[in-house]
Amino acid sequence: MNIPKLIYGSRLNFKESVHNFFATIAGLSIISLEFFRQVFLPPYEIAEIRKHMNELGIKTFPIVSITGLIIGLVLAMQSQPVFVRFGASDFLPGTVALSVVRELGPVITALIFAGRVSSGIGAELGSMRVTEQIDAMEVSAVNPFRYLIVTRVIATTMILPVLTIYVIFLAVFGGYIAVIITENMSFAYYKNAVISSIQYGDLIPGIAKTFIFGFIVGIVGSYKGFTAEGGTEGVGKASTTSVVIASLLILLVDVVLVKLTLLVWPTT
Amino acid sequence: MADNLITIENLSKGFNGKMILNNLNMSVFRGENLVVFGKSGSGKSVLLKCIIGLMKPDSGKIYVGDRELQKMNSDELNTFRKRTGFLFQGAALYDSMSVRENLAFPLIRNTEMNKQERDKKIINTLDLVSLGEAIDKMPSELSGGMRKRIGLARAIITDPEIMFYDEPTTGLDPITSKEISELIIALQHRLHMTSIVVTHDLICAKIISDRSIFLKDGDIIYNGILADLAGSDDPFLKNFFSDEPIKSGD
Ligand SMILES: Nc1ncnc2c1ncn2[C@@H]1O[C@H](COP(=O)(O)OP(=O)(O)OP(=O)(O)O)[C@@H](O)[C@H]1O
Ligand SMILES: [Mg+2]
């Protein structure tokens, strides 16, 4: 595995920045390819994967819970006056649910997840790199890529969809809270309105893309951490740049996926 | 010719255009304790990392037995590494694991031991470095010298044939330092271990050294027994080993 090196320095000129841009793309591609090459080879390190999934779940549970509730709450509060003005209050539950399922739930959960987890992986692997722990693993004849990266990327890829589904439920519920503050609507009515407005064509692409977002979060953090250099400062950089790159990539990939979904699953 | 375990031919390695190792030739004989001296930054750690395959040489060849290191595939390289132990200069303990888990890691990966055998081995090895009471501590709770000794314990726990020690006694008090040196000797006798020891510690070197080499400007400027090295007439070496203030013209 030959990962191109970045140029470090506080003030990079244009050429160096362009170099770093392409080196980062190349590095991410190499790490991703290596992931797919190694993921099916034993040993599978199931215990490590389970440990990471647990940790990720516990670490992100509080923040995504609050986020989920608030997305739904705010969305419904903002939309409600408009819907009332046009006499379309009946469409409110469906609209909230659709926005949350198709777009807001997956993307906002992914961004929060990136902020919390990419940085964590970047810092963790970065400090293992600069204190030679990764080298120590290698001389114990353990493949650090498989033990450290493959396990983490699998964990982030698996756990983000679960978190997203949870966020969607909370957001829809948050929407209900906003509605009943000003209006009289039974939960059964709200629930039915939500369920009847959501189709598989909304749900499946919405959840499917979170696997990709989870993969991005894991890969970016791993790439930055694994290639960290330059002592504690390098660790800090690995951690912060992970978040920036992961968030940008999530948004970019989202645009592409939304376009793709609309082509494959046209909404009537 | 003596029984070469490791043979290095014309090894060169540089960083950012600066040569650290320059056409270096050396051998390590089976069963010996080879001490590597050299000023800070002379490339001692780099040399060890090249031999274990953590760093790729720019040019030159490294043979383990009669196999060339660069030509090994990953399975062969791992087989070689399973026969070795490596004490890193900074100990390189796994932060996220307790001392017990740190020591268990190579055992789980590279031996067939069951849990009971592992536990017994871990306790015995910790006793060798007099740190039995640290077994359930996390690395962050250990002092620098303790970390070093745990790193040593982790490196020797698989009873390797070849040991690489990067400054095993740095940061230890004189008594512990002597104990560690005696341990290195004991391992050599008990397991017929071959060791490469990087050290600045003359007391340690006196105890363990069968042969010494001195690294300077990317090459070996001395190769022989320690007494001759320490008593050398060469002004640079004289300065290195004397406890007098540095004379001008080093
Ligand atoms: N990964 C690296 N990248 C760039 N330069 C490096 C790297 N590793 C080592 N060097 C450089 O190589 C030289 C030799 O380093 P090395 O760590 O081998 O020294 P040393 O002889 O072990 O010194 P000390 O006794 O202080 O440990 C130093 O100048 C160091 O800056
Ligand atoms: Mg060194």
Side-chain angles (χ1 to χ4, degrees):
Chain A
M1 213 172 41
N2 232 329
I3 304 171
K5 282 211 178 336
L6 300 183
I7 300 165
Y8 289 97
S10 47
R11 311 191 85 206
L12 297 179
N13 63 29
F14 180 71
K15 219 179 118 206
E16 289 166 334
S17 307
V18 170
H19 169 273
N20 278 357
F21 177 77
F22 285 105
T24 303
I25 293 179
L28 282 171
S29 316
I30 292 167
I31 297 257
S32 305
L33 286 178
E34 186 69 17
F35 172 83
F36 286 112
R37 208 175 63 78
Q38 299 219 4
V39 66
F40 299 113
L41 302 172
Y44 296 112
E45 313 285 2
I46 306 288
E48 275 297 298
I49 297 175
R50 194 172 299 149
K51 190 186 97 190
H52 292 313
M53 286 179 73
N54 267 334
E55 276 171 13
L56 292 179
I58 292 167
K59 204 164 145 183
T60 49
F61 189 76
I63 178 117
V64 298
S65 306
I66 296 169
T67 313
L69 259 181
I70 289 183
I71 297 176
L73 199 67
V74 171
L75 191 63
M77 286 196 309
Q78 288 275 26
S79 326
Q80 204 174 28
V82 185
F83 279 83
V84 170
R85 199 183 313 152
F86 291 109
S89 297
D90 286 354
F91 292 113
L92 184 61
T95 311
V96 169
L98 274 181
S99 326
V100 165
V101 167
R102 290 185 71 104
E103 196 53 39
L104 291 178
V107 171
I108 294 186
T109 314
L111 290 177
I112 300 233
F113 192 69
R116 195 86 178 79
V117 173
S118 263
S119 57
I121 294 178
E124 207 176 351
L125 296 190
S127 74
M128 290 188 78
R129 168 58 78 197
V130 304
T131 57
E132 297 179 319
Q133 293 174 52
I134 295 182
D135 290 339
M137 230 165 239
E138 217 174 318
V139 298
S140 315
V142 172
N143 178 340
F145 193 93
R146 201 168 302 153
Y147 187 80
L148 298 172
I149 296 187
V150 172
T151 55
R152 280 174 171 80
V153 175
I154 291 177
T156 55
T157 309
M158 305 298 283
I159 204 96
L160 186 57
V162 178
L163 286 173
T164 306
I165 292 172
Y166 168 68
V167 163
I168 289 173
F169 272 104
L170 276 181
V172 169
F173 181 69
Y176 179 65
I177 296 176
V179 170
I180 56 166
I181 291 175
T182 50
E183 259 183 77
N184 240 334
M185 192 185 279
S186 77
F187 187 68
Y189 179 86
Y190 181 85
K191 195 183 78 184
N192 285 335
V194 166
I195 291 174
S196 63
S197 65
I198 295 177
Q199 291 162 353
Y200 283 116
D202 305 311
L203 201 57
I204 292 175
I207 300 303
K209 66 184 174 189
T210 62
F211 283 99
I212 301 178
F213 295 162
F215 177 79
I216 291 175
V217 168
I219 282 286
V220 172
S222 301
Y223 161 66
K224 276 292 161 188
F226 209 65
T227 57
E229 48 185 314
T232 31
E233 199 192 335
V235 178
K237 273 210 188 101
S239 167
T240 45
T241 46
S242 299
V243 183
V244 177
I245 296 175
S247 309
L248 275 178
L249 266 181
I250 286 169
L251 294 173
L252 278 178
V253 168
D254 188 48
V255 175
V256 177
L257 288 179
V258 167
K259 190 69 205 163
L260 265 181
T261 334
L262 290 176
L263 287 177
V264 178
W265 245 303
T267 38
T268 40
Chain B
M1 207 170 110
D3 190 4
N4 282 18
L5 187 57
I6 294 167
T7 314
I8 299 179
E9 289 176 1
N10 301 319
L11 175 68
S12 294
K13 172 77 186 168
F15 296 99
N16 311 321
K18 188 168 176 290
M19 293 315 285
I20 302 300
L21 302 177
N22 210 343
N23 260 325
L24 180 143
N25 291 284
M26 65 178 267
S27 321
V28 183
F29 306 123
R30 201 177 293 276
E32 75 169 341
N33 284 339
L34 174 69
V35 171
V36 181
F37 288 104
K39 277 177 71 169
S40 178
S42 57
K44 305 180 296 295
S45 300
V46 169
L47 175 63
L48 292 192
K49 285 181 189 169
C50 285
I51 301 176
I52 195 80
L54 281 174
M55 284 182 177
K56 261 215 203 93
D58 296 342
S59 63
K61 290 182 176 155
I62 298 169
Y63 294 92
V64 179
D66 46 15
R67 284 290 296 155
E68 191 183 336
L69 193 73
Q70 285 85 345
K71 295 225 171 92
M72 291 184 182
N73 62 30
S74 65
D75 282 344
E76 288 172 298
L77 189 60
N78 279 340
T79 310
F80 165 55
R81 283 172 172 171
K82 282 179 193 170
R83 292 163 52 204
T84 66
F86 199 112
L87 168 62
F88 284 83
Q89 192 166 355
L93 300 182
Y94 306 127
D95 289 334
S96 59
M97 303 182 197
S98 68
V99 168
R100 184 197 297 274
E101 289 165 331
N102 261 283
L103 298 203
F105 192 83
L107 291 180
I108 294 174
R109 302 282 150 170
N110 297 330
T111 68
E112 306 287 307
M113 289 185 190
N114 63 32
K115 183 152 184 344
Q116 268 166 0
E117 292 167 320
R118 279 204 305 268
D119 279 340
K120 198 161 153 247
K121 184 79 186 168
I122 290 170
I123 290 167
N124 285 343
T125 312
L126 279 177
D127 277 344
L128 288 180
V129 296
S130 330
L131 276 177
E133 81 279 3
I135 187 160
D136 287 315
K137 290 212 160 83
M138 295 303 284
S140 57
E141 299 171 279
L142 304 175
S143 74
M146 288 163 90
R147 295 170 66 97
K148 197 93 204 204
R149 284 183 284 157
I150 300 294
L152 177 63
R154 188 181 67 187
I156 61 174
I157 197 163
T158 50
D159 295 338
E161 281 169 58
I162 313 165
M163 262 301 299
F164 298 83
Y165 301 89
D166 201 340
E167 307 197 3
T169 58
T170 306
L172 302 181
D173 62 275
I175 294 176
T176 316
S177 193
K178 271 183 213 157
E179 283 169 7
I180 295 295
S181 310
E182 302 287 353
L183 173 62
I184 294 175
I185 289 286
L187 289 169
Q188 180 194 23
H189 291 164
R190 187 162 59 84
L191 302 167
H192 307 289
M193 215 181 251
T194 307
S195 304
I196 307 178
V197 188
V198 168
T199 187
H200 300 295
D201 177 355
L202 212 51
I203 301 172
C204 165
K206 273 190 185 133
I207 298 174
I208 62 177
S209 153
D210 296 318
R211 187 162 68 94
S212 302
I213 59 177
F214 198 105
L215 211 59
K216 182 170 184 268
D217 301 329
D219 206 354
I220 290 168
I221 59 162
Y222 177 87
N223 175 357
I225 60 167
L226 179 65
D228 290 350
L229 173 61
S232 161
D233 285 335
D234 179 282
F236 174 78
L237 292 179
K238 216 170 174 168
N239 240 337
F240 189 93
F241 291 103
S242 91
D243 35 22
E244 317 220 318
I246 295 180
K247 296 181 197 80
S248 58
D250 162 87

